[in-house]
Amino acid sequence: MAYVVKMPKLGLEMKSGELSAWLVSEGDEVTEGEPIAEIESEKTTAEIDAKEDGVLRRVVLAEGESTAPGGALAIVAGADEDISGLEADAGVGEGGSEPAATDDSAVDPSPTEATETTETAATGGGDASSVAQSRSRGSDGASENGEVRASPRAKRLADDLGVDLTTVEGTGPQGAITESDVETAADSATPAEADDAGTATATAAEKRVFAPPSARRLARELGVDIEVVEGTGQNGRITESDVRAAGGATAAATDSSAAGAATTAATDATAASEPAETERPLSGMRRTIADRLGESYREAVHVTVDRRADAEELLAAANAADDALGVDVSITDVLLLALSASLDEHPEFNATFEDGVHRLHGEHNVCIAVDIDEGLIAPVVRDVASLSLSELAETRAEVTQRALSGDFTMDDLSGGTFTVSNLGVLGVESFDPVINPPQVAILGVNTIRREAVPTDGGDVAVRRVISFSLSFDHRIVDGADAARMLGTLVEHVENPWSLVIAAGGR
């Protein structure tokens, strides 16, 4: 069934999405479940899969262009289906041309041929388009000017299989040769030719790789041929870690063979060169992060409050849970329990503000800021309050690992209601985290330090202390509200045992 491919909504905050790359061309056949395009929005990239088998009949949005969620990207339909209604739905005027299924332009018939075509169609001898097609294409699959009509992918496959396109009969739109036509031609070749074609077909199949847009982009940046990378992700999917590993192996081989020449060249260059200025163009994701954070800081009234807490019991509880539960429990996991309990008491912070509406959410869907090459992304740990401590630890570890490996999905980054950003692991003692719109608050976690603390007996004890920085949108909540929220969090951090025991028994 024919349908319009539309821009998905990748999260509550999404305003528009950019079409990064088409993975198929007009006129190509598409298979249900296989990716056909890469898109980018907010802090994420994603692939769009074909919903059904068909042909990419019309590209509506070009690479590099943007549209709002629900905007038309393309039309997929059967090779001979009427798509005029869908073109109207997609905002393509009736005067728009039929999608170009090939690299070549159509051959205009001569005046005589045009007259004959019209007459034949009027008398029932076939429709005008089929007659025009038969006149513009010979039986050998070529147009009268000697050029072959074939989709780019069909041409590449023909090169791989050693198929002469002038001998192939096209079954695609406007008589274009498709990949299936090429494969059929290869299958009908002589035995010797078939052996060669079979080898080439296997080679072509091996070239089909499954990798997220971030991994493909990283491969281009590192000069890695992604078709030879072995994927370790789910179902053999290639991750960013796989690309980096392949890039490191290539670099090591290159370095070992060119070490002497590089050393000499570096010595000469150091003596003669001066410091050079370089420009680093922003990637699409980095530009989006810059735009969104700029928008957040312009629109939200950011205020940050800070407070310290004794961390001794927090550390002890995390260690005890790690020993007792048989899973890796970190301080962050116990902090998430304390945060969830605090959001129960202060639900106005587990909220979003969009289109003038302050919406308080029932589930605590906590985003965990993760640093990747192109910037910070914030995968979501969903419904923290309902998870046992072991489930929480495993879920947090899984979503973090998917983010680091580049194997995250749009679902991982959507639906967050509150965000935690931990710069304490980098030694940061205080910072002002920027709110992740449309959320209304974000918690910054700072480093744990040892401090001398007076005791009731007048002595001084060295205690480990952690501090928090809570940024909030002052349009929605007041400073006193934030102070009370932070006070509740400190109480739970300093007395976490009841939370840990309750969550450990779920």
Side-chain angles (χ1 to χ4, degrees):
M1 183 179 70
Y3 65 94
V4 176
V5 181
K6 296 182 178 181
M7 177 68 70
K9 189 173 180 66
L10 305 184
L12 291 174
E13 68 277 9
M14 179 175 173
K15 296 295 188 296
S16 67
E18 177 180 318
L19 197 292
S20 302
W22 282 107
L23 304 180
V24 294
S25 302
E26 283 186 340
D28 285 354
E29 294 184 344
V30 300
T31 302
E32 179 182 355
E34 288 192 357
I36 60 175
E38 296 176 359
I39 59 172
E40 187 169 307
S41 178
E42 309 307 333
K43 295 184 179 181
T44 183
T45 57
E47 291 177 342
I48 295 180
D49 296 337
K51 293 196 301 184
E52 299 180 21
D53 294 350
V55 174
L56 187 66
R57 293 283 299 278
R58 177 117 190 204
V59 169
V60 177
L61 195 71
E63 292 182 358
E65 294 182 343
S66 299
T67 187
L73 305 181
I75 297 172
V76 172
D80 300 321
E81 278 189 85
D82 179 12
I83 61 172
S84 57
L86 291 180
E87 286 180 322
D89 292 341
V92 180
E94 294 183 0
S97 60
E98 180 71 9
T102 75
D103 292 338
D104 311 314
S105 59
V107 178
D108 294 331
S110 65
T112 303
E113 290 172 338
T115 302
E116 292 174 353
T117 298
T118 304
E119 291 174 351
T120 304
T123 56
D127 63 70
S129 61
S130 63
V131 176
Q133 177 180 307
S134 67
R135 291 187 176 275
S136 63
R137 292 180 55 83
S139 60
D140 60 354
S143 59
E144 289 185 352
N145 62 3
E147 295 180 348
V148 175
R149 287 206 190 126
S151 67
R153 287 178 62 175
K155 290 181 178 180
R156 289 193 296 270
L157 183 59
D159 289 338
D160 291 338
L161 302 183
V163 172
D164 182 359
L165 286 176
T166 62
T167 66
V168 179
E169 183 68 25
T171 62
Q174 300 180 7
I177 298 172
T178 67
E179 287 183 284
S180 296
D181 298 331
V182 175
E183 290 171 352
T184 300
D187 291 340
S188 62
T190 63
E193 291 172 334
D195 289 340
D196 292 340
T199 302
T201 301
T203 302
E206 291 171 359
K207 291 181 180 179
R208 294 183 179 180
V209 297
F210 294 93
S214 57
R216 295 177 184 272
R217 183 166 50 250
L218 181 61
R220 291 192 292 268
E221 292 173 356
L222 298 181
V224 172
D225 183 358
I226 201 166
E227 294 179 351
V228 301
V229 177
E230 183 176 351
T232 61
Q234 186 176 8
N235 297 323
R237 193 174 181 85
I238 296 172
T239 68
E240 288 187 47
S241 297
D242 299 328
V243 174
R244 289 192 187 93
T250 302
T254 303
D255 289 346
S256 63
S257 64
T263 301
T264 302
T267 301
D268 293 342
T270 301
S273 65
E274 295 180 356
E277 293 183 356
T278 59
E279 294 182 356
R280 188 182 70 173
L282 298 181
S283 67
M285 181 182 289
R286 185 72 255 180
R287 288 196 307 272
T288 302
I289 292 174
D291 292 342
R292 293 295 291 157
L293 291 183
E295 177 186 345
S296 173
Y297 225 78
R298 287 191 302 272
E299 295 187 1
V301 180
H302 281 69
V303 177
T304 303
V305 292
D306 303 293
R307 184 159 175 177
R308 295 185 302 172
D310 189 302
E312 292 293 344
E313 297 304 312
L314 172 70
L315 293 164
N319 289 333
D322 186 69
D323 292 337
L325 296 178
V327 297
D328 292 331
V329 177
S330 71
I331 298 172
T332 300
D333 300 318
V334 180
L335 275 176
L336 289 176
L337 289 181
L339 172 63
S340 180
S342 301
L343 293 175
D344 267 339
E345 298 181 47
H346 304 277
E348 65 272 22
F349 288 88
N350 186 58
T352 54
F353 181 66
E354 195 170 26
D355 298 328
V357 177
H358 181 204
R359 181 171 289 106
L360 282 62
H361 297 275
E363 292 186 350
H364 300 161
N365 298 330
V366 181
C367 301
I368 307 295
V370 177
D371 181 29
I372 63 174
D373 287 344
E374 293 184 305
L376 285 175
I377 60 173
V380 183
V381 180
R382 300 188 185 280
D383 201 6
V384 171
S386 71
L387 301 176
S388 68
L389 185 51
S390 58
E391 291 171 337
L392 174 58
E394 290 174 345
T395 302
R396 179 199 54 78
E398 288 171 0
V399 299
T400 301
Q401 183 54 42
R402 284 200 297 272
L404 292 172
S405 67
D407 205 25
F408 56 88
T409 67
M410 63 181 72
D411 289 337
D412 288 324
L413 303 178
S414 62
T417 58
F418 190 94
T419 297
V420 173
S421 179
N422 185 356
L423 291 184
V425 294
L426 300 177
V428 172
E429 297 181 356
S430 179
F431 70 109
D432 295 333
V434 179
I435 298 167
N436 182 17
Q439 297 169 23
V440 302
I442 179 172
L443 179 69
V445 180
N446 302 307
T447 192
I448 295 177
R449 299 182 296 174
R450 293 183 181 273
E451 292 187 2
V453 179
T455 64
D456 293 338
D459 296 329
V460 174
V462 176
R463 306 281 291 182
R464 286 172 291 185
V465 176
I466 188 171
S467 62
F468 303 101
S469 301
L470 177 65
S471 289
F472 59 96
D473 188 343
H474 210 323
R475 298 175 302 171
I476 314 304
V477 289
D478 294 327
D481 298 325
R484 284 188 283 267
M485 162 70 180
L486 206 49
T488 302
L489 177 65
V490 168
E491 290 178 7
H492 287 306
V493 166
E494 293 183 338
N495 302 280
W497 291 102
S498 60
L499 298 175
V500 171
I501 291 171
R506 287 178 192 153

